[in-house]
Structures are given as structure tokens and as C-alpha cells.
Amino acid sequence: MTVIDLGPQTGIVARLAESVTDEQLTAATPCPGQAVRHLLGHLLMLSVAFRDAARKDLGPTTDTSPTAVAWDLGPGWREELPKALDELADAWRDPAAWTGGTRAGGVDLPGAVAGAVVADELVIHGWDLARATGQDYTPDPAALDSALAFLRAAADDPDRGNGLFGPVVPVPPDAPLLDRAVGLSGRDPGWGSGGAPEA
């Protein structure tokens, strides 16, 4: 696994979130059954969980499965999300975060794998948020490379359809790297090109 600075990607996600209007919070996203408000709530939750995973501060935030709680927002999310994203990036700048073992989502895993997982989450959910709210999106190249490597490694996992990943959506072999990552994540890279209804 490659150690990367997550700061550029967390900054991109923070800027996308800052531009979300209150009216867009009910818009559909590429995540089935999840509106923008739920996606933002998930981003907040995972930022805190993976911050604590990087710090090896194991407890309720790292022990809870993402499927065990409702993803939603509180009234202070516009201040809380950028703060959590900054803290996430800062925690993963410590080389110790990438070594040894840790836990996230109730799963024990090596620190380097946890770093790759959170890079993937930030890249793919950044795309989800951008598509759902009609914003331009160019992920950080290092985070995209890490996410793509992680998704390729997971592509043959027989349990893909039962977790956060859906079946791979085929894309042309010469497709842009982001489209390849999106397809490997179980999403259609063309989602939202004709507009999306409310969730």
C-alpha cells in the first residue's frame, strides 16, 4: 500500500459540500435510496471513524458498522463536516497511522488497508456528491490511484453484492481512470447525466 496525503482529497470533498444548497439535500444520489443529506451524513460519520482509526483511538466510533446507523445530518453539519475532514487528513499524515493494526466499521484491519479504504471512500463519495448536485469533479490524482488499486483488488470478492459494493459496472478499457473506479465501485459512470429526481 502507498502512503498518501489525504489532505488534497478531503479539501475537494469539503468544497463540494460547502456548495450544496439546502434545496439539494433531498436530491437523489448514485447510492440507492440515499439522498444528498444521507450521503453527507455518511461522509461525516466515516471522517470521524477513520480519523480515530488513524489515531488508533478505538471505541464506539470505530466499532460501529456503517450499516448499523442511519446516515443523516444534524443542524451543525456545515461546521462539523469540514472540521472532521481536516482532522481526518491530519490524522493520516502521521506515518504511524499506516502501520500496525486498527479498526473501522467494526472490522479489524491493517493500518495501510484502512488508509486505502478511506481514500476510496473519499474519491467515490466525492463523485457521488458532485453528480447529485451538478458540480464539476476532479479527484486528487494520488487518492484516485489509491482508490483504483483498492477497487481492483476487491473486484473478485464474492461478497461484493452484499456490502457497500455492488456488482461491477463494465466500462471501456480506455475510459478515464475516474470512470474505471466508479464502475468498479458498482456505479454507472453515466449516472445523473440526464438529471436526477428527488430521493
Side-chain angles (χ1 to χ4, degrees):
M1 295 290 178
T2 302
V3 175
I4 63 170
D5 181 3
L6 296 175
Q9 182 61 26
T10 59
I12 290 167
V13 173
R15 288 190 292 274
L16 289 170
E18 183 181 18
S19 296
V20 174
T21 66
D22 289 345
E23 292 73 23
Q24 289 174 321
L25 291 175
T26 56
T29 72
C31 307
Q34 302 296 322
V36 169
R37 65 177 302 119
H38 305 127
L39 175 59
L40 289 166
H42 178 57
L43 280 164
L44 178 55
M45 180 184 69
L46 77 86
S47 295
V48 171
F50 279 92
R51 175 202 68 194
D52 292 347
R55 295 173 177 172
K56 311 296 197 286
D57 183 11
L58 308 184
T61 61
T62 61
D63 292 350
T64 303
S65 167
T67 60
V69 294
W71 302 351
D72 210 342
L73 295 174
W77 75 269
R78 290 191 183 274
E79 294 74 36
E80 293 167 1
L81 180 56
K83 180 176 183 287
L85 286 165
D86 282 347
E87 291 175 348
L88 171 69
D90 187 60
W92 284 97
R93 289 189 180 105
D94 183 350
W98 300 82
T99 62
T102 190
R103 186 181 307 130
V107 178
D108 292 321
L109 68 174
V113 174
V117 170
V118 73
D120 170 62
E121 293 272 350
L122 291 167
V123 168
I124 298 301
H125 288 320
W127 180 86
D128 291 333
L129 184 59
R131 278 303 174 97
T133 57
Q135 300 186 62
D136 293 333
Y137 180 57
T138 302
D140 171 64
L144 175 57
D145 287 345
S146 178
L148 190 57
F150 172 76
L151 289 163
R152 282 174 173 154
D156 295 327
D157 185 342
D159 294 326
R160 281 177 55 86
N162 298 323
L164 297 177
F165 301 109
V168 170
V169 175
V171 299
D174 59 348
L177 292 183
L178 179 58
D179 285 1
R180 293 184 220 174
V182 168
L184 285 169
S185 77
R187 292 155 170 78
D188 180 355
W191 188 95
S193 57
E198 287 197 351

